[in-house]
Amino acid sequence: MAIVIPARGSTPIKGLRTDDLSWEDFLGRADRTTAGIYTAVEQPAYQFSNILFSSGTTGEPKAIPWTHLTPLKAAADGWCHMDIRKGDVVAWPTNLGWMMGPWLVYASLLNGASMALYNGSPNSSGFAKFVQDAKVTMLGVVPSIVRTWKNTDCTAGFDWSNIRCFSSTGEASSVDDYLWLMGRACYKPVIEYCGGTEIGGGFITGSLLQPQALSAFSTPAMGCNLFILDSNGNPLPHDSAGIGELALDPTLFGSSTTLLNADHHEVYFSGMPEWNAKVLRRHGDEFERTADGYYRAHGRADDTMNLGGIKVSSIEIERICNRVNDAILETAAIGVPPVGGGPEQLTIAVVFKDQSPQAEDLNQLKLMFNSALKKLNPLFKVSSVVVVPSLPRTASNKVMRRVLRKEFTQAKHSKI
């Protein structure tokens, strides 16, 4: 069955199939609806309620069914960590193809809040005015949107004082950008939120009941137990600082139990260590637990590079490179294998705010990158700088570094 919207204004729609409805007739049915017309249908908890595809950051997108438990997970996260409650107005630029689309539906409506839906690009003063006029109380963001707001100043002059908190997901955020974001709403906190389509929400986040640190997480999500694995694949003690691949306790309410186009056990459990007689669940992100008890994301574990025998994440390098020059919009750090084999060579893909610079400017930029990276490690050295019009991203706004890696590697081979 399809609900068909006319292409131009209120032009009558012709040629509808028997079970189809025009938009006008659909609205007419809503006007005649009475409170008792719909009857709930009892279903098992694990009956599918939705099917989403993963972002495809690391390869072929996975078809992930959500069950009737997943909406409860989304609503619980919104209630517990973003304090979404009756009377709130929740906005989060997203779409129904990304998990944050259905998440927004469940996290707002099941908690008695309203959704604020904007038809258009969030990278505009129109959206900023919409947030003001809708009196949004919880505004969800992704870091690249915030970076654009800051660079274009398109939120200037609008009153966001109704916002009680922000929340951020999708990619690693910048301390400078998020301090600026807090300033748009009288320095209300930003609740970082990290999870996955297969989780139905978050596994690590922040809380309004704890002191928050910019671009950091303060707690596992409610009902979640997480582990950081050492270089041997063993879980670190929960109270110790360290960095490594993140793994999850498999007893996680609302998370996936099957895939429609892949082996669920092979993807998430095969080869993982045990803890308390349970095989831990793989996630694939690299996380750091700091000495003061916060967590920081370092991107996908497969987005790490080996530079001079030292393992480093792309995120760490990009955070430094993004701040080298005001003309830079964003960067991506890629480890490219040399043609004849050997250690990976560091290539920085650069997106500029305006037109591309001259070749001599790129040479100067390379020197600036190398100078800044010495603070991270004196052995790190940028091999080349490549200007790109934009970074390849998934539907959920994650940078696909594997696409750039493949492109740069092929370019090197073609020059032989």
Side-chain angles (χ1 to χ4, degrees):
M1 175 182 177
I3 298 167
V4 184
I5 300 174
R8 292 186 181 88
S10 57
T11 304
I13 300 173
K14 299 179 180 179
L16 291 179
R17 298 172 303 179
T18 303
D19 293 329
D20 289 347
L21 283 176
S22 69
W23 177 244
E24 185 178 5
D25 289 341
F26 172 71
L27 293 180
R29 285 193 177 189
D31 291 339
R32 297 191 298 270
T33 298
T34 59
I37 198 169
Y38 296 108
T39 304
V41 178
E42 185 173 317
Q43 294 287 344
Y46 287 95
Q47 181 77 24
F48 295 171
S49 63
N50 191 17
I51 297 172
L52 289 170
F53 283 83
S54 64
S55 62
T57 312
T58 57
E60 189 70 20
K62 298 179 286 291
I64 302 171
W66 278 19
T67 70
H68 286 261
L69 297 177
T70 318
L72 302 180
K73 161 64 176 169
D77 282 0
W79 171 81
C80 182
H81 297 288
M82 294 89 170
D83 192 32
I84 298 174
R85 57 194 191 219
K86 186 176 182 179
D88 276 350
V89 179
V90 182
W92 204 317
T94 182
N95 63 71
L96 290 173
W98 179 29
M99 65 154 283
M100 294 310 296
W103 185 96
L104 175 63
V105 174
Y106 300 139
S108 56
L109 301 186
L110 289 178
N111 284 310
S114 300
M115 286 185 292
L117 304 177
Y118 180 73
N119 183 24
S121 169
N123 297 325
S124 65
S125 57
F127 179 79
K129 183 177 187 300
F130 171 76
V131 170
Q132 168 192 276
D133 296 347
K135 295 182 170 53
V136 170
T137 58
M138 203 293 286
L139 177 59
V141 298
V142 293
S144 57
I145 291 177
V146 176
R147 192 178 304 120
T148 299
W149 289 345
K150 181 184 176 186
N151 289 330
T152 61
D153 203 27
C154 64
T155 65
F158 296 104
D159 180 5
W160 284 9
S161 60
N162 284 292
I163 292 175
R164 201 167 62 248
C165 77
F166 299 94
S167 189
S168 173
T169 194
E171 56 185 344
S173 59
S174 158
V175 170
D176 290 345
D177 289 351
Y178 276 33
L179 183 60
W180 175 90
L181 177 66
M182 290 170 62
R184 302 310 95 197
C186 308
Y187 291 93
K188 299 296 171 48
V190 180
I191 302 299
E192 295 280 356
Y193 188 57
C194 183
T197 309
E198 76 282 4
I199 305 299
F203 56 78
I204 190 167
T205 181
S207 170
L208 295 174
L209 301 179
Q210 298 170 319
Q212 298 300 291
L214 282 165
S215 301
F217 306 85
S218 64
T219 179
M222 183 177 69
C224 179
N225 195 8
L226 53 84
F227 305 85
I228 293 176
L229 307 181
D230 62 21
S231 56
N232 296 316
N234 299 315
L236 295 171
H238 272 103
D239 58 350
S240 68
I243 185 170
E245 184 175 348
L246 184 124
L248 304 173
D249 189 313
T251 310
L252 182 55
F253 183 81
S255 60
S256 67
T257 58
T258 186
L259 297 172
L260 300 186
N261 62 349
D263 186 321
H264 190 271
H265 182 272
E266 182 67 27
V267 171
Y268 296 115
F269 294 97
S270 180
M272 293 297 288
E274 289 190 8
W275 180 81
N276 281 1
K278 293 185 290 187
V279 178
L280 296 181
R281 180 177 180 131
R282 178 183 294 107
H283 184 72
D285 281 354
E286 186 163 277
F287 266 78
E288 173 189 5
R289 190 180 191 275
T290 65
D292 51 2
Y294 291 95
Y295 296 87
R296 294 192 182 276
H298 290 279
R300 300 291 298 178
D302 44 25
D303 276 337
T304 59
M305 292 171 281
N306 192 317
L307 301 177
I310 299 169
K311 187 179 179 184
V312 61
S313 77
S314 297
I315 298 293
E316 287 183 275
I317 293 175
E318 290 159 7
R319 280 175 176 154
I320 293 173
C321 291
N322 286 341
R323 301 167 71 175
V324 160
N325 191 303
D326 288 340
I328 294 173
L329 178 63
E330 58 183 347
T331 62
I334 311 295
V336 180
V339 175
E344 291 181 318
Q345 296 176 342
L346 177 57
T347 297
I348 305 296
V350 182
V351 180
F352 287 99
K353 296 176 183 176
D354 297 314
Q355 69 275 9
S356 300
Q358 301 299 316
E360 56 268 23
D361 295 329
L362 291 183
N363 291 330
Q364 180 62 31
L365 190 59
K366 179 179 172 181
L367 293 174
M368 295 169 69
F369 284 151
N370 282 325
S371 177
L373 288 174
K374 285 181 180 178
K375 300 171 185 177
L376 182 61
N377 192 300
L379 297 178
F380 294 167
K381 183 179 179 181
V382 176
S383 174
S384 60
V385 176
V386 179
V387 177
V388 294
S390 61
L391 300 181
R393 294 178 182 273
T394 66
S396 58
N397 218 52
K398 294 187 174 98
V399 176
M400 294 192 290
R401 295 177 185 84
R402 62 183 175 86
V403 173
L404 292 171
R405 185 178 295 113
K406 181 179 179 181
E407 180 182 320
F408 296 160
T409 301
Q410 288 175 342
K412 278 200 169 190
H413 283 269
S414 66
K415 291 178 181 179
I416 300 176

